Amino acid sequence: MSETRKQLGYLTEQLDAMRAAGTHFRLRVLDDQQAPICHYDGKEVINLASNNYLGLANHPKLIEAAVEATKKFGAGSGAVRTIAGTMRLHMQLEERIAAFKNVEACVVFQSGFAANAGTVSAILGKEDFIFSDELNHASIIDGARLSRAKIKVFRHKDVAHCEELLAEVQNEPGRKLVITDGVFSMDGDIGPVGALAGVAERYGAIMMVDDAHASGVLGRHGRGSIDHFHAHGRVDIQVGTLSKAIGSLGGYVCGSRDLIDFLYHRARPFLFSTSHPPAVPASCLAAFDILESEPDRMERLWRNTHSFKATLASAGFNIGGQNTPMSETPILPIIVGESAKAAEFSRALFDAGLMATAITYPTVAQGKARIRTIVTSEHSPETLAQAAEILTATAKKLAIL
Ligand SMILES: *Cc1c(COP(=O)(O)O)cnc(C)c1O
């Protein structure tokens, strides 16, 4: 064994432990487009695992926009935004998103992860305080850690607990930031954005919302949770993603002109990582047009959400609401409990023709492992009926139902 191999032997041990616990996985490989029925590892499956909520990832207009932009402006941008890599299309997209969100300005990052981590770490320092929902996304947690601010975690959606934590340090000098997901990615429930904004106002705290799963899903034409709660003007920092319902790649921050100008100067992923290739902003621009011109996509998304949820509930599945939150969005978990069982369920579903990923510890708490299903606007009622049959038959076989 080489020296390096010996040095990394502890990783092999940890992988062996995952294998023993039944939670080790292999990446499933998509052979064609991210569609309601597609092929993974050469097998045709119904796809309930993607975030392509509105089918925009393969909308002809996005594809055409990407191809045209690539032909005209090239395959890559060649530099970070602050050096030479800001293209006209990047600016157009930022202006388009700011207008859509009805805010002064917007900055686009390479991903939603970079947007969260880059923003929180740029605006706070070690004298400051972050008040964060216990189920907030990993990119918020990492941003909070990078900032070196003091992190106070409040119980899930517990506005009173958040207020209690704020009150404890209200006389300390640091700045305070209250932060929540708009839609929680593992349970599909909606954050109490309006109520938290009220608490933030009372304590003079900055209010920030991560709308990754709400962009294109909640609010008028998919404007997100702030629009859903009519909380316009009460949230200082709105984060969204371009990688899920918008169908492409990227993350953005919306807010005041000075917030965005500051991030242009201080957000490290913006300063030190190359900007998107032209195909990305071009396809995103096409996506925002479609959000406004094809409202039927959101209508179908919500119709599918309500009917699939009713079907799974009447089949007797634990779809949350007992010891886990109840979904209010197209993200619909089927709670299984043990990690190994959830992983086994996912594998058996795949063999039966259904792609639904197991979400296990540490992504969710011990004992709350689940299959996460996500319907899109493009699933037909027949496909969803077939998916429900596969879920029910497989669950019975494994004594989950
Ligand atoms: C997916 C997700 C992100 C990250 O977005 P990407 O564009 O995929 O990097 C951030 N926050 C939440 C809540 C998410 O679900």
Side-chain angles (χ1 to χ4, degrees):
M1 208 188 250
S2 75
E3 277 311 298
T4 351
R5 279 180 164 172
K6 201 156 66 192
Q7 303 308 337
L8 292 177
Y10 68 105
L11 300 183
T12 311
E13 282 166 25
Q14 290 182 32
L15 285 166
D16 287 342
M18 290 179 212
R19 285 188 191 95
T23 56
H24 181 268
F25 59 81
R26 240 178 3 89
L27 298 173
R28 296 238 183 253
V29 179
L30 178 61
D31 300 305
D32 37 23
Q33 294 197 359
Q34 189 65 265
I37 298 174
C38 58
H39 292 79
Y40 280 91
D41 297 333
K43 183 181 169 66
E44 185 179 285
V45 288
I46 297 173
N47 184 0
L48 289 185
S50 96
N51 300 312
N52 187 18
Y53 288 108
L54 302 172
L56 298 190
N58 27 43
H59 192 292
K61 285 186 177 157
L62 271 80
I63 295 170
E64 189 189 311
V67 170
E68 287 305 308
T70 303
K71 284 188 179 152
K72 202 160 170 195
F73 299 110
S77 74
V80 303
R81 290 282 304 271
T82 49
I83 295 190
T86 295
M87 303 176 104
R88 182 69 58 207
L89 280 166
H90 295 130
M91 298 313 293
Q92 282 170 352
L93 178 60
E94 290 180 345
E95 284 157 21
R96 181 81 173 84
I97 297 172
F100 181 74
K101 292 277 196 172
N102 198 19
V103 294
E104 278 181 18
C106 169
V107 50
V108 170
F109 286 83
Q110 296 84 353
S111 68
F113 196 108
N116 270 329
T119 299
V120 176
S121 59
I123 64 168
L124 296 181
K126 63 179 188 305
E127 301 309 314
D128 303 327
F129 295 89
I130 297 172
F131 302 85
S132 178
D133 187 290
E134 65 181 336
L135 296 187
N136 275 346
H137 192 259
S139 54
I140 293 174
I141 298 169
D142 286 11
R145 289 178 182 158
L146 281 169
S147 76
R148 297 189 292 160
K150 284 155 265 193
I151 303 166
K152 308 276 179 185
V153 175
F154 58 89
R155 287 185 297 271
H156 184 49
K157 299 210 295 193
D158 190 335
V159 178
H161 188 212
C162 176
E163 176 152 17
E164 235 172 78
L165 295 174
L166 270 159
E168 281 171 13
V169 297
Q170 63 178 323
N171 296 322
E172 299 207 24
R175 293 179 187 85
K176 282 109 192 170
L177 170 76
V178 173
I179 183 162
T180 183
D181 281 7
V183 170
F184 289 89
S185 51
M186 297 305 154
D187 295 287
D189 53 333
I190 299 175
V193 170
L196 284 173
V199 170
E201 277 154 19
R202 280 200 290 289
Y203 288 84
I206 305 160
M207 181 70 204
M208 175 166 171
V209 175
D210 173 9
D211 250 353
H213 280 283
S215 316
V217 174
L218 286 183
R220 288 167 304 143
H221 297 287
R223 281 179 172 75
S225 66
I226 286 96
D227 194 69
H228 173 80
F229 283 107
H230 308 290
H232 298 281
R234 301 179 63 203
V235 174
D236 303 289
I237 306 173
Q238 300 183 38
V239 173
T241 185
L242 303 166
S243 327
K244 289 172 178 149
I246 307 305
S248 182
L249 173 69
Y252 58 84
V253 177
C254 282
S256 68
R257 173 75 54 200
D258 282 353
L259 167 70
I260 302 312
D261 200 24
F262 182 83
L263 293 174
Y264 278 173
H265 287 80
R266 287 288 182 272
R268 293 171 69 84
F270 189 85
L271 294 168
F272 295 108
S273 183
T274 297
S275 58
H276 283 148
V280 170
S283 49
C284 292
L285 281 162
F288 282 98
D289 289 345
I290 293 163
L291 286 184
E292 291 183 318
S293 65
E294 299 182 16
D296 52 302
R297 285 178 183 267
M298 260 183 81
E299 286 160 20
R300 287 201 303 277
L301 172 66
W302 282 97
R303 216 181 305 136
N304 281 344
T305 297
H306 293 131
S307 74
F308 195 61
K309 187 175 178 182
T311 306
L312 294 191
S314 68
F317 282 110
N318 175 359
I319 57 167
Q322 295 165 26
N323 66 342
T324 63
M326 171 59 88
S327 168
E328 303 166 81
T329 66
I331 297 172
L332 195 59
I334 297 176
I335 312 297
V336 174
E338 292 311 312
S339 287
K341 193 78 182 168
E344 185 191 4
F345 190 25
S346 177
R347 282 192 297 269
L349 287 169
F350 187 81
D351 292 339
L354 184 84
M355 176 80 171
T357 314
I359 313 275
T360 60
Y361 178 82
T363 305
V364 294
Q366 292 277 23
K368 294 183 181 177
R370 74 228 19 219
I371 299 292
R372 187 176 63 167
T373 70
I374 300 181
V375 299
T376 74
S377 61
E378 304 314 286
H379 286 84
S380 70
E382 297 73 37
T383 299
L384 290 179
Q386 207 185 332
E389 275 171 33
I390 296 173
L391 280 160
T392 308
T394 309
K396 282 184 178 152
K397 240 183 250 169
L398 297 181
I400 288 165
L401 264 187

